């Protein structure tokens, strides 16, 4: 059964990306989010495609693969697909559902508007991307 | 550098590219201009207590365990990762030649970015590009 807007907003409130965002803004974001289901094995985003949005994982797990190499694994509360929206380059990696995955999808233009209107979201996103860069560097190292 | 010249220089940097003259003046006031001689280490791998730096002129080397990994030049910035994550730098940043930078204390970065969402957006784009490149190098 699809989530209602308040249910989506409740869920968004618990996600790191939206920490510090006031409730009315969360409700506006929730209205923009579309629920999308991906059966196990299906692509959530595909390498080489133009980025059309951000996917927040509500349930299930997904892996990020580039060519044949698994780069990362993500689960509930994580988001994928943001890089192609930000740098407007084709997607650098694919994200594949490992089991049945339910996402909330936010279109590129809604994400860009959100970043401009909600400094807290931009800050959380900046922090998360920075952490991902650092963790890649550490994997390189060891 | 006079305040006016500084604002002119800042207007040419990508990070501040969306700011109007009054906002640039405010930003110039918030940051401190600093100069370093060649060979000076500005950030030290593994040591806490650092700031955010934007390069006005000159070049720096990014060194990890003594090995050069990258060079940064005019308009590039460094130090934000440690501040945002609350962890010590994972690289040394060393001036290659005479270097001029804008410096902002770590605790002031978040407030500055929230006051200037377009600067934060530019920083986000740059960090996203860096992450994309890091992902590409990995595979």
């Amino acid at each position: 059964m699809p989530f209602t807007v308040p249910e989506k907003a409740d869920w968004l409130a618990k996600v790191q990306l939206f920490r510090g965002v006031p409730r009315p803004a969360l409700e506006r974001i929730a209205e923009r989010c579309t629920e999308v289901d991906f059966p196990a094995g299906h692509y959530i985003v595909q390498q080489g495609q133009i980025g059309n949005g951000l996917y927040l994982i509500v349930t299930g797990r997904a892996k990020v693969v580039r060519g044949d190499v698994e780069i990362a694994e993500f689960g509930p509360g994580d988001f994928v697909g943001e890089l192609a929206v930000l740098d407007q380059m084709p997607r650098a990696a694919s994200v594949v559902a490992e089991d049945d995955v339910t996402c909330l999808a936010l279109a590129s233009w809604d994400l860009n508007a959100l970043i401009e209107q909600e400094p807290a979201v931009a800050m959380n996103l900046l922090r998360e991307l920075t952490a991902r860069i650092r963790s890649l560097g550490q994997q390189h190292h060891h | 550098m006079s305040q006016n010249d500084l604002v002119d220089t800042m207007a040419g940097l990508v990070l501040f590219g969306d700011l109007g003259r009054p906002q640039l003046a405010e930003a110039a006031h918030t940051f401190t201009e600093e100069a370093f001689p060649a060979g000076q280490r500005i950030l030290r791998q593994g040591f806490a207590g650092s700031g955010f730096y934007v390069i006005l002129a000159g070049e720096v080397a990014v060194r990890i365990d003594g090995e050069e990994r990258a060079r940064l030049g005019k308009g590039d910035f460094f130090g934000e990762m440690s501040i945002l994550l609350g962890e010590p730098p994972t690289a040394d940043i060393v001036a290659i030649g005479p270097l001029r930078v804008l410096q902002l204390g770590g605790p002031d970065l978040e407030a500055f970015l929230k006051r200037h969402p377009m600067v934060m957006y530019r920083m986000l784009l740059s960090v996203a590009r860096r992450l994309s490149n890091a992902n590409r190098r990995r595979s």
Side-chain angles (χ1 to χ4, degrees):
Chain A
M1 200 172 70
F3 297 123
T4 63
V5 167
E7 279 169 349
K8 286 184 202 170
D10 286 346
W11 185 81
L12 294 175
K14 289 184 261 177
V15 174
Q16 184 70 19
L17 182 61
F18 298 106
R19 204 188 51 172
V21 177
R23 179 76 195 190
L26 283 177
E27 302 244 352
R28 282 197 303 275
I29 300 164
E31 282 170 14
R32 298 286 180 174
C33 284
T34 315
E35 189 180 337
V36 194
D37 294 312
F38 297 93
H42 281 230
Y43 283 105
I44 299 172
V45 309
Q46 214 160 354
Q47 189 172 333
Q49 285 184 342
I50 301 298
N52 51 4
L54 170 92
Y55 296 87
L56 290 148
I57 300 176
V58 182
T59 58
R61 299 199 68 79
K63 62 181 175 186
V64 182
V65 288
R66 188 174 151 70
D68 296 329
V69 184
E70 182 173 334
I71 300 177
E73 199 197 27
F74 291 117
D78 293 329
F79 57 86
V80 295
E82 76 294 342
L83 286 185
V85 174
L86 289 171
D87 71 7
Q88 297 182 344
M89 297 277 285
R91 297 202 185 270
S94 296
V95 180
V96 184
E98 289 190 282
D99 36 41
D100 292 349
V101 171
T102 298
C103 291
L104 290 180
L106 196 59
S108 296
W109 49 88
D110 287 327
L111 177 62
N112 279 320
L114 181 60
I115 290 168
E116 281 177 34
Q117 288 155 14
E118 291 295 331
V121 173
M123 200 65 196
N124 294 337
L125 189 54
L126 188 57
R127 205 168 261 131
E128 171 63 24
L129 297 190
T130 303
R132 287 185 192 177
I133 291 177
R134 187 156 278 193
S135 93
L136 273 179
Q138 275 155 4
Q139 286 171 24
H140 259 309
H141 248 357
H142 300 296
Chain B
M1 200 187 262
S2 78
Q3 178 83 5
N4 234 350
D5 289 345
L6 183 56
V7 166
D8 284 342
T9 306
M10 289 172 70
L13 305 183
V14 172
L15 188 62
F16 301 118
D18 299 308
L19 298 187
R21 200 91 192 158
Q23 291 171 303
L24 281 171
E26 194 260 10
H29 196 69
T30 309
F31 282 79
T32 311
E33 199 183 342
E34 283 184 32
F36 295 99
Q40 173 87 45
R41 195 150 41 161
I42 298 131
L43 290 187
R44 196 175 272 251
Q45 184 178 354
F47 282 78
S50 44
F52 171 66
Y53 297 85
V54 184
I55 300 176
L56 291 173
E59 227 186 349
V60 299
V62 181
R63 291 184 191 151
I64 298 176
D65 301 330
E67 186 191 322
E68 183 169 322
R69 297 298 182 93
R71 288 210 177 180
L72 305 176
K74 183 177 175 180
D76 291 333
F77 53 86
F78 56 90
E80 80 292 348
M81 291 182 67
S82 299
I83 297 168
L84 293 171
L85 300 176
E87 294 169 1
T90 52
D92 281 335
I93 303 284
V94 184
I96 296 295
L99 180 75
R100 281 197 308 112
V101 295
L102 288 174
Q103 191 265 0
L104 185 66
D108 299 326
L109 178 63
E110 187 164 337
F112 174 77
L113 292 176
K114 285 187 172 166
R115 241 183 5 259
H116 299 287
M118 292 317 286
V119 176
M120 178 142 58
Y121 188 66
R122 293 280 183 148
M123 186 184 275
L124 199 47
L125 293 185
S126 162
V127 169
R129 213 159 290 139
R130 229 187 289 164
L131 180 54
S132 286
N133 290 337
N135 278 333
R136 286 190 173 92
R137 273 201 305 274
R138 251 205 99 203
S139 46

